[in-house]
Amino acid sequence: MTLFRSRLNRSKYLLLLFAPALIYYILFKYVPMFGILISFKDYNPFKGVWQSEWAGLKHYSLFFHSPDFPKLLKNTILLGLYKVVFTFPAPILLALLLNEVRIGLVKRLVQSISYLPHFISNVVVVSMMFLFLSPTSGVVNQLIEWLGYDSINFMQNENYFRTLYILSEIWQHIGWETIIYLAALSAIDPQLYEAARVDGANRWHQVRNITLPGITPAIVILFILNIGHVLDIGFEKVLLMLNPSIYSTADVLSTYVYRTGIQSMNYSYGTAIDLFTSVINLLFILTANWISRRKSETSLW
């Protein structure tokens, strides 16, 4: 007990710094978990959670047997996998390229330009997409017509939704996510590069044998975290881009929950779908972490 008090006294300032984060997660992450009980009831806002009738797995069964279930699951998984395959490597490549730039001014300029889109809201980003891709006055379609082709209504065409979403995600977040990899690159001992150059290694050999192994732990950790969000597609941007003509490819679980759970006031059904999504994400991250722990020395726990 005395040892515990001694350690507590030594760490009191660190604990004070940690307290706001702890309070935040308790209030906004753990306390709301009580709401999953709604998914097992026919929730009535006027009766409250405890007085509402017990429904068991009814809402889960309704969702799994819904004709929308296969389409929603397919759209969500595909969009999540596209984000992992195309969006995840982009900041790694940018960090590697920036690491090879030897002119400080150019490096800082590229970093600043790539960071800026991260601070633009999704509303503005989607508005820019509608403006630039307009079939009548958009810059992109003007260029297409100048080349002798017919204009394309990109935002109303279901075949372009996933491409536009992924490209906008890369443009918006590539610079910000590069910060982590640049920090990992700065931790690599410069003497390793000097020794490699003495041994005759060129730039590619240095990147392959020093740079990439040096940032592999950061890559693995972030990859595992990204795998845990495969079904957790950014709701706001998808909703802003969504329209009835592209439902077949753009409607995902989060937008469906918004329509059925919030707009239609079917709270129990919406909560059941959201809990299903969270459980699948948890299974993904547990599996990815287990594989990483078996195959390498890096894992979340």
Side-chain angles (χ1 to χ4, degrees), residues 256-275:
Y256 185 73
V257 168
Y258 174 73
R259 290 200 313 276
T260 58
I262 305 300
Q263 291 185 327
S264 301
M265 300 180 67
N266 194 348
Y267 302 115
S268 296
Y269 188 63
T271 304
I273 300 171
D274 221 22
L275 181 58

Side-chain angles (χ1 to χ4, degrees), residues 154-172:
F154 290 97
M155 303 303 290
Q156 299 287 331
N157 192 321
E158 61 184 20
N159 297 320
Y160 291 103
F161 168 76
R162 294 186 183 117
T163 302
L164 294 175
Y165 180 87
I166 295 301
L167 289 176
S168 66
E169 283 287 294
I170 293 174
W171 174 76
Q172 193 174 1

Side-chain angles (χ1 to χ4, degrees), residues 191-262:
Q191 294 182 0
L192 294 175
Y193 292 104
E194 295 176 5
R197 284 193 293 269
V198 170
D199 290 339
N202 57 29
R203 286 285 184 86
W204 167 243
H205 291 145
Q206 293 174 41
V207 169
R208 188 179 63 182
N209 298 298
I210 299 175
T211 306
L212 286 177
I215 64 173
T216 295
I219 294 175
V220 171
I221 293 297
L222 291 174
F223 180 75
I224 294 172
L225 293 175
N226 274 267
I227 287 293
H229 291 280
V230 167
L231 298 187
D232 189 17
I233 301 300
F235 159 77
E236 189 178 84
K237 183 181 287 185
V238 175
L239 183 66
L240 291 168
M241 295 176 65
L242 195 63
N243 60 76
S245 61
I246 62 172
Y247 269 3
S248 59
T249 57
D251 198 19
V252 294
L253 289 170
S254 56
T255 55
Y256 185 73
V257 168
Y258 174 73
R259 290 200 313 276
T260 58
I262 305 300

Side-chain angles (χ1 to χ4, degrees), residues 23 30 34 42 77 91 94 96 112 116 119-120 124 131 150 154 160 171 173 193 226 236 256 259 280 282 286:
I23 293 171
Y30 288 98
F34 167 76
D42 286 323
I77 290 178
L94 180 58
L96 293 175
S112 299
L116 289 176
F119 301 99
I120 302 176
V124 176
L131 182 64
D150 296 330
F154 290 97
Y160 291 103
W171 174 76
H173 302 296
Y193 292 104
N226 274 267
E236 189 178 84
Y256 185 73
R259 290 200 313 276
I280 298 300
L282 178 62
L286 289 174

